[in-house]
Amino acid sequence: MLIALVDVDGNTCPLLDRNGLLCPVLCVLDFNDCPDAIRPPTCASNEQLCDDGTCQASCDAVVNPCLCGLTSSDVAAVYKACPAYQNTVTVFSYDPSIKEEQLAFVCAQEWGLVASNATLDGGSGVPSWSDQSTDLPMSWSDCPTPQEPELTFTEDFCIAFYAIIGAELVMYLLWHMYKTVRERHAASLRQVCSQLPSSLSVDSKNPAIGSGSEIQADIEKSSVLMADGKPSSFVSSGSSGANVASAAELPDGMLLLRGYDNNYVGMALYYLSLLSTAGWIVLLAIIVSDYYGKVKGGVAYGLLANSNTSMA
């Protein structure tokens, strides 16, 4: 919706009066400092005057609006709330850009805290909540807006995350280079393929695979043939024979054997990757718990970002 700031003749429109406004709560160090217009009532014999300016049988569950959601140990001085003003006030030439200052001034004028002929330039004479101190007898209950949690990605845990990920990337890169250099002659290494012993084959009509002595004889025969070097029942690949890349290139009944050497560095990096994976799962659990305020004193975002009750 567009609001015209000038009339048809080009003149600036005057500010309108705003009536029916409620005054903010006035906070005082002592109830005796409350103006007469909002003086606390006299409580019955079975009641007590609580910090919110009302009479209650018990003040245990009463919330003091002058603490702004904090505890008494979080503020410089514990202010008490004068009873709410029952009447409404009118702000003349209401300006939305300074509406808080105008309302505070009119209310202070209504309660006799400032002279009736005073102007807004002199203020209401009552400081804001953020200016509370033991030297000021009263203040407004204009609680500051709680700071929204904000992640800047420069927190300690973020820096630790960058350092861990960067270190792992460097180690994996160095390992890849080392492994590539060590395996550059892998194609010339000998690969030996052996004939499947006939006595170990299973007959479809006779599932028996032979007696134990026959199997043992075939195993011993294979051992002798392997010790002989290059028997006819073996095929060697590499520099001294045909290059066999996969088992699919072998004749029927031949078996391709490949050998790999263990490396302590490679095994260490493998277990490091497992440990890192478990660590990230734990970190995710901490982030979720911190979101619900289960990590640091019941305050959401208390660990991974600024507290939502922080006044900084």
Side-chain angles (χ1 to χ4, degrees), residues 11-150:
N11 301 317
T12 302
C13 297
L15 295 173
L16 302 177
D17 299 339
R18 184 79 176 270
N19 53 20
L21 299 177
L22 296 175
C23 289
V25 174
L26 183 66
C27 300
V28 293
L29 288 174
D30 192 294
F31 281 123
N32 293 327
D33 295 327
C34 291
D36 293 337
I38 50 176
R39 181 78 63 180
T42 301
C43 300
S45 58
N46 60 341
E47 294 181 334
Q48 54 184 317
L49 183 60
C50 300
D51 287 347
D52 65 343
T54 62
C55 295
Q56 304 289 340
S58 174
C59 297
D60 294 339
V62 172
V63 177
N64 184 357
C66 294
L67 288 178
C68 293
L70 303 177
T71 62
S72 57
S73 60
D74 295 328
V75 294
V78 179
Y79 281 72
K80 305 174 181 62
C82 294
Y85 190 49
Q86 300 301 319
N87 300 328
T88 59
V89 296
T90 298
V91 175
F92 300 98
S93 300
Y94 181 81
D95 186 351
S97 63
I98 55 172
K99 58 183 179 181
E100 289 85 3
E101 292 82 352
Q102 285 184 317
L103 181 60
F105 174 77
V106 171
C107 292
Q109 201 172 44
E110 183 84 3
W111 300 335
L113 297 177
V114 295
S116 58
N117 59 350
T119 61
L120 181 62
D121 296 336
S124 65
V126 180
S128 65
W129 186 93
S130 301
D131 296 329
Q132 287 182 357
S133 71
T134 55
D135 298 331
L136 300 174
M138 62 183 62
S139 71
W140 296 113
S141 62
D142 50 345
C143 299
T145 303
Q147 180 182 1
E148 291 295 330
E150 182 179 356

Side-chain angles (χ1 to χ4, degrees), residues 241-252:
N243 185 18
V244 180
S246 64
E249 301 177 12
L250 298 175
D252 293 340

